[in-house]
Amino acid sequence: MSIRPIVVYGEPVLHRRAQTVETFDDDLRSLIADMRETLAASNGVGLAAPQIGVGLRIFLYDAPDDEGVQRSGTVVNPTLVTSKVPGTRPDPDEDAEGCLSVPGLNYPIARADWAKVTGVDEFGQPVEFEARGWFARVMQHEYDHLLGKLYVDRLDDRWARKWKKAQKTLGWNEPGHSWLPGTDPDPFGH
């Protein structure tokens, strides 16, 4: 197992739809073990394979649900069904998200309050669960990575302008940026 660098916005793999996993072997389980170690070192709540430069339909989560129960798992080739996303403006205090591939920044985004995730684990065994509230937000965020979308691509006009300004200032218009959890400073100050 090893900690892998997390690629930053602008890296092409983050902006392409991830490919379906077809082979469930030791290489896949080794990749997922690296993802687990990377997620733990990053202090994040979720990690998708594209975030470590691998364009496969895999994400991990390690986050509390709305009842405070810590939920951890792996979903390979997931599908996601959600309730309707509210049409109201996102609340900057209640609806802010961050992303390991947009390190150090947070912006509010509207998300559905309920999600159902189905897929398989690293052994090809079925996975299915429902998520509500903040945990549903995490599921939608990670699933978006597999579609080639980052949460900043979904911001409303007001926050999108702030993001574009920050993106230009940070130089995240081009590929080649990454950070290594556990070695580089934690961009979110954990």
Side-chain angles (χ1 to χ4, degrees):
M1 293 188 314
S2 62
I3 297 171
R4 299 210 191 177
I6 295 177
V7 297
V8 173
Y9 193 96
E11 196 65 37
V13 70
L14 292 172
H15 307 286
R16 288 192 301 259
R17 186 176 185 86
Q19 296 179 343
T20 300
V21 173
E22 296 182 5
T23 305
F24 293 80
D25 58 9
D26 288 342
D27 288 341
L28 175 66
R29 287 181 281 282
S30 179
L31 168 65
I32 291 170
D34 287 355
M35 289 177 67
R36 280 192 190 108
E37 192 167 342
T38 302
L39 178 59
S42 73
N43 297 307
V45 295
L47 182 70
Q51 293 182 272
I52 61 165
V54 178
L56 291 174
R57 294 182 59 76
I58 306 166
F59 73 75
L60 280 65
Y61 58 92
D62 187 9
D65 63 19
D66 274 16
E67 286 79 43
V69 175
Q70 193 70 19
R71 309 256 315 250
S72 302
T74 301
V75 188
V76 179
N77 299 333
T79 60
L80 182 81
V81 177
T82 67
S83 57
K84 186 176 178 183
V85 176
T88 57
R89 273 205 115 111
D91 182 298
D93 296 320
E94 298 294 320
D95 299 323
E97 286 186 26
C99 180
L100 298 173
S101 291
V102 185
L105 301 177
N106 294 290
Y107 297 102
I109 179 174
R111 295 280 192 187
D113 191 53
W114 174 87
K116 180 178 180 181
V117 178
T118 57
V120 296
D121 66 13
E122 63 263 44
F123 300 100
Q125 297 301 307
V127 172
E128 182 175 323
F129 60 91
E130 293 182 18
R132 295 196 180 282
W134 189 77
F135 188 52
R137 177 178 291 275
V138 173
M139 295 303 103
Q140 293 165 80
H141 181 109
E142 297 309 323
Y143 186 78
D144 274 355
H145 279 296
L146 307 182
L147 301 176
K149 297 281 185 191
L150 282 78
Y151 86 103
V152 291
D153 297 326
R154 297 187 182 278
L155 298 174
D156 70 18
D157 290 344
R158 174 183 174 202
W159 297 105
R161 284 191 299 275
K162 290 180 186 234
W163 153 242
K164 289 297 181 188
K165 185 176 178 181
Q167 179 188 19
K168 184 176 180 180
T169 300
L170 293 165
W172 293 347
N173 296 321
E174 297 179 13
H177 299 278
S178 66
W179 66 283
L180 186 62
T183 300
D184 293 332
D186 185 324
F188 294 99
H190 296 110

